[in-house]
Amino acid sequence: MSAKIEKKKCPYQDIGGQAVMEGVMMQSPANESIAIAVRRPSGRIVVTCEKNTPLSKKHPWMGWPVIRGCVNMVIMLKMGMQTLDRSTQMLGVMEEEPTKFEKWLAEKLGAKIDKVVMAVAMVLAVVLSLFLFVALPTGAATLAGLFTDSRLVINLVSGITRVAILILYMWGIGFVPDIKRVFMYHGAEHKTVYCNEAGLPLTPENAKQFSRLHPRCGTAFLFLVMIISILIGAVADELIFMIFGIEKLSFLLRFGRSLLLLPVVTGVSYEVLKALAHAGDSLIVRVLRWPGMKLQLLTTREPDEKMLEVAIASMKAAKAGAANYKKQLDPGVYAYSGSEEAEAAADKTDETQEEPQAEEKQA
């Protein structure tokens, strides 16, 4: 039986991240760093850490309340695509062959094919998001307007449609084997963040005791966006009626209004998420957090210890910073060289060293 570890007081650091294919990204604003750790098919954990200066440090107005939420959304969208691309390179898996359109676009623009592929993927992701979470709910609201004159009810229909689409989407992709593993790494990320916030030594044994549900998760943020959009949309519709006398918005007007309000909804949702994350643990706070926390049951899974090792490697690198992380790597964790040939050679070396040990065990 392991001895109970006493939790230490730890200065709060707003460290968070995201899961990637067979790995975890951690971002530490205090250390101005972003770290990515993945477990390669050979079993080796490789990690990289880069300096990341917050835009609010260069442009203070980007750190203002509400505005910082909008800025953060754009940054995270861009960073998410870059992180997925970087982690795929580190993993050493074969990437899909670029389409003829992507090759043609790269040739015409004079850009590298990987940048064009990333740009195309980002555009497609934005278009899909607008279709699912703006166009479809707008259509449902427009249809509801045929049966009721209540602007509040119309906005409720729109909001409920958004939430339903979000839940069905997250539930559906959870059946994809690769996504299921990403969700397990998502759980590993949350447990590691909790362990760090508790001031405990970062070990798989300590991390696994924590919940896989975290109040600052992006899933909770998405749910807040859906709910707050109902409230802000209802207020906006009343203002439009008072100013322009328009009782019911057409599909195009409602779609345009939703796009224009998106920065406001995002900014307010970000502030609410931050407030709830730091508001203590009173009954009313738990009630307000509850829907976003429960939604994470769809986007997280219980990780195994090997996944926790990867998340911990990423956390330690982010806390050490870009200049020092290589000096503080745990045994079995290696700095990513940036060369696939070098990484493949290192994988083979590890496999060769492990073979005699396996033979000894069999003997």
Side-chain angles (χ1 to χ4, degrees), residues 329-348:
L329 296 176
D330 290 337
V333 180
Y334 305 88
Y336 178 64
S337 66
S339 168
E340 181 52 37
E341 291 77 9
E343 293 298 334
D347 287 344
K348 290 182 179 179

Side-chain angles (χ1 to χ4, degrees), residues 82-158:
Q82 291 175 337
T83 299
L84 289 174
D85 181 64
R86 180 68 165 165
S87 62
T88 301
Q89 295 174 10
M90 294 171 64
L91 196 57
V93 297
M94 293 295 293
E95 298 182 4
E96 293 183 3
E97 179 71 15
T99 64
K100 292 182 180 180
F101 171 73
E102 290 168 340
K103 293 178 179 178
W104 174 84
L105 200 58
E107 182 181 348
K108 293 298 181 182
L109 296 177
K112 293 183 178 180
I113 188 66
D114 58 336
K115 293 187 178 297
V116 171
V117 171
M118 184 186 301
V120 170
M122 185 177 294
V123 170
L124 290 176
V126 170
V127 170
L128 179 61
S129 298
L130 290 177
F131 173 73
L132 290 177
F133 301 112
V134 180
L136 287 183
T138 297
T142 304
L143 185 62
L146 300 176
F147 303 96
T148 180
D149 293 328
S150 172
R151 287 181 285 276
L152 178 59
V153 170
I154 292 173
N155 278 284
L156 278 173
V157 169
S158 177

